[in-house]
């Protein structure tokens, strides 16, 4: 049984993330979406809110579960019995950092491999930060996130001037 982990901040989950989740879930027996708890970036949504949104958006995928982790990803991978880490690559700008992480993780845990899925072209520009910025200025984010995430974003930003 192949178990994989898709780690990230998911603050919030976008259609780009969902694309990677749907595609990678089709390749493995079980996919754990691992939400990073101790984030250096100060997140807009709490971990619980992020998990709730991910669960809603992926409820059609029966072999996907959502968990949180802090500390080293590789420790979480070992603990969960996962042998694969999934990451998405949008552009060359993602590549250098991702390569460094994958190589470091491979030294730390040779039994865990990282696979990269290149983004669907229509989401190659998309990031959680851009979505927050657009929403913060009152823009329409319906092309970028699911209706549920759009609703959560509206609630979160109510009463705030900008993100
Ligand atoms: P992190 O804080 O680790 O960058 P993110 O939540 O931003 O976490 O992203 C998690 C993973 O999803 C990363 O591998 C990232 O490259 C990938 N990803 C983010 N946005 C997209 C997108 N639009 N298309 C494909 N992959 C994406």
């Amino acid at each position: 049984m192949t178990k994989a982990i898709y780690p990230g901040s998911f603050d919030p989950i976008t259609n780009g993330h969902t694309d990677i989740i749907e595609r990678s879930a089709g390749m493995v027996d079980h996919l754990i979406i691992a939400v990073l708890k101790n984030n250096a970036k100060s997140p807009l949504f709490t971990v619980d809110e992020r998990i709730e949104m991910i669960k809603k958006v992926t409820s059609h995928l029966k072999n996907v579960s959502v968990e949180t982790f802090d500390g080293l990803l590789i420790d979480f991978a070992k603990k969960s019995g996962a042998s694969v880490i999934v990451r998405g690559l949008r552009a060359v700008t993602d590549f250098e950092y991702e390569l460094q992480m994958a190589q470091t993780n491979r030294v730390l845990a040779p039994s865990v491999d990282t696979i990269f899925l290149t983004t669907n072209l229509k989401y190659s520009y998309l990031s959680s930060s851009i979505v927050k910025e657009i929403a913060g200025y009152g823009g329409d984010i319906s092309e970028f996130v699911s209706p549920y995430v759009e609703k959560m974003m509206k609630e979160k930003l109510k009463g705030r001037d900008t993100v």
Side-chain angles (χ1 to χ4, degrees):
M1 163 153 164
T2 310
K3 220 185 229 189
I5 293 181
Y6 179 40
S9 316
F10 306 104
D11 184 42
I13 183 168
T14 69
N15 292 343
H17 293 129
T18 309
D19 176 52
I20 298 286
I21 292 166
E22 286 173 345
R23 287 159 59 203
S24 54
M27 296 175 191
V28 297
D29 296 304
H30 191 83
L31 179 72
I32 301 170
I33 304 174
V35 181
L36 186 60
K37 220 187 270 173
N38 271 348
N39 204 340
K41 316 165 187 171
S42 53
L44 176 65
F45 291 98
T46 65
V47 168
D48 287 344
E49 288 168 336
R50 283 181 270 158
I51 291 176
E52 189 191 328
M53 288 186 277
I54 297 169
K55 282 191 173 161
K56 274 268 186 320
V57 172
T58 61
S59 60
H60 61 297
L61 300 167
K62 298 301 163 223
N63 64 336
V64 170
S65 59
V66 190
E67 291 182 34
T68 58
F69 78 104
D70 52 15
L72 281 182
L73 172 62
I74 223 69
D75 289 338
F76 178 71
K78 283 186 196 158
K79 204 182 75 195
S80 339
S83 55
V84 176
I85 294 169
V86 175
R87 295 288 286 173
L89 282 181
R90 282 163 291 193
V92 263
T93 41
D94 280 342
F95 184 75
E96 211 166 323
Y97 172 73
E98 293 294 343
L99 181 71
Q100 190 183 11
M101 287 302 297
Q103 288 178 332
T104 310
N105 284 338
R106 194 143 169 75
V107 172
L108 293 174
S111 59
V112 181
D113 244 317
T114 303
I115 61 164
F116 297 104
L117 294 188
T118 51
T119 178
N120 186 319
L121 268 186
K122 66 179 179 190
Y123 303 130
S124 60
Y125 58 88
L126 191 54
S127 69
S128 299
S129 316
I130 291 210
V131 166
K132 285 183 277 191
E133 195 167 336
I134 296 170
Y137 290 110
D140 178 6
I141 56 167
S142 58
E143 290 288 318
F144 313 130
V145 298
S146 75
Y148 185 74
V149 174
E150 190 186 357
K151 186 178 123 243
M152 290 281 284
M153 183 69 93
K154 278 194 185 132
E155 276 169 26
K156 178 66 79 175
L157 295 178
K158 235 183 251 167
R160 292 193 190 198
D161 289 338
T162 51
V163 179

